[in-house]
Each structure stands twice: as C-alpha cells, then as structure tokens.
Amino acid sequence: MSGIENLLSGFRKFREMYFEKAPGLYRDLLSHGQSPRFAVVACSDSRVDPAIVLQTEPGDIFAVRNVAALVPPYEDDGHYHGTSAALEFAVGELGVDHIIVIGHARCGGIEAMVHKQEGGKAGGKFIAAWTDLLREARERALAVDPGLEGDALLGASERQAVRLSLDNLTTFPFVREAMAAGDLSLHGWYLNIFDGALEIWNPGTEAFERLS
Ligand SMILES: [Zn+2]
C-alpha cells in the first residue's frame, strides 16, 4: 500500500461490492440499525485489524481500538474516557453478547511499558501514561516466572495484559450487571502474528490454548 490513491481505489472496490453488486447488507443495516453481537477491543497496530483477521462483514463487530488493546479500570471522575464510552455504548445501547479482548505479539505498547518499567526512557507523554495502566501485566508475568527477560518477558506480558483488561472489564458496573443477567460473556484472545496462531484464554485451565 503506497499513497492515498491506493486508499481511494480501495474505497471504490468497497462501493462496488456493497453498494452496487450486493446493496442488501447496507440497506438492512440502515433500515434496522446496527446490531453487532460482538464488541472487540484490539490494538491500533496496523497488522491486527480485527475485521481482517476474523474475516467479518460490515455490521458484525463493534470495534474499539487503542494502543495495546487496553481496557482501563472503571473511573468515575468526569475525565475523557474514550474506550470506556465505547464499551458503555456496546453493552448498554447495542446489547452485545460478547466482549473479546485481542492482544497480540510484538505489541509496541507493551514493549514501551516493559521498557519503561526496566528503567528505559518513557515513550510519548500520552503513550507512557496510557501503557502505565498495564504495569501489572509485567509484574504478573514475572510472578509466574521470575527468570523471564527479553522477548519471553514481552510475550508473557502481552498475554497477561489481555487478562488484566478482562479483570478491568469487570470493574464496570454495567459489565457486571450484564454478566450477572447472563447477557454478556468476556473472552481473552492472543494473536500470535509470528506464526499465524490464535490463542484463547481458558479460565478453567488458566492457560491460553491454541486454536487448531
Ligand atoms: Zn499492539
């Protein structure tokens, strides 16, 4: 992909597909409104677009993307909470059945957090404050295996970050209420972009299990 012209060419293909050849999908999505069953929290990383990775159609997923696929804890402080606002809409207005947090290998946000925790220079002002929310992911990884370092520590921290976001999700009253009513399930996935594998968190075995 190079140049804006490629993007415009991509849009023309999209228009041809969804507005000329098969206009029914958007006609329905506009007349009935969107009703995605899935909210996905994914990283902004250009390699892990959930609509591409999961091969979904327009209307299938409500996607929240940010640095490191992070769900912050619930905070009732009147500040600006973009991710929390999106999740509130997904659960409260759209009534999604599932929230899926998708972490990934070689996550720059996790790497920045680990680097800073190890005494390195912090990244940008906003990045450092945001990824500080994930400090505990590195601590949890080291609690499991104190000998971890380098890429192994990054990989373990990336997976623990998914679990931390799942824990943070349950600090939101509207998430807890929907779960208690049996209307909402939480899922933690890890996209290993080294070998094209998806690992799914299994709370029963407390392990990420590779999708066959
Ligand atoms: Zn990332």
Side-chain angles (χ1 to χ4, degrees), residues 90-148:
V91 175
E93 299 296 325
L94 297 175
V96 296
D97 301 324
H98 306 271
I99 300 177
I100 307 162
V101 177
I102 307 182
H104 71 101
R106 274 291 183 272
C107 183
I110 303 288
E111 190 173 8
M113 178 275 292
V114 170
H115 182 66
K116 186 181 168 213
Q117 296 308 308
E118 294 180 343
K121 193 170 173 295
K125 171 183 165 64
F126 296 108
I127 297 170
W130 177 249
T131 58
D132 265 356
L133 287 168
L134 286 169
R135 255 191 323 247
E136 198 182 328
R138 175 179 168 275
E139 290 159 10
R140 287 186 187 186
L142 288 170
V144 174
D145 183 351
L148 285 175

Side-chain angles (χ1 to χ4, degrees), residues 22-33:
L25 176 59
Y26 267 91
R27 199 180 295 136
D28 287 350
L29 286 171
L30 288 171
S31 60
H32 300 122

Side-chain angles (χ1 to χ4, degrees), residues 42-45 47-48 66-69 102-110:
C43 186
S44 299
D45 191 298
R47 300 165 294 186
V48 297
N66 61 39
V67 170
I102 307 182
H104 71 101
R106 274 291 183 272
C107 183
I110 303 288

Side-chain angles (χ1 to χ4, degrees), residues 22 37 83 103 113 115 128 134 136 171 177 193 200 211:
R37 301 331 311 146
T83 295
M113 178 275 292
H115 182 66
L134 286 169
E136 198 182 328
T171 65
E177 284 161 20
I193 53 175
I200 295 172
L211 176 73

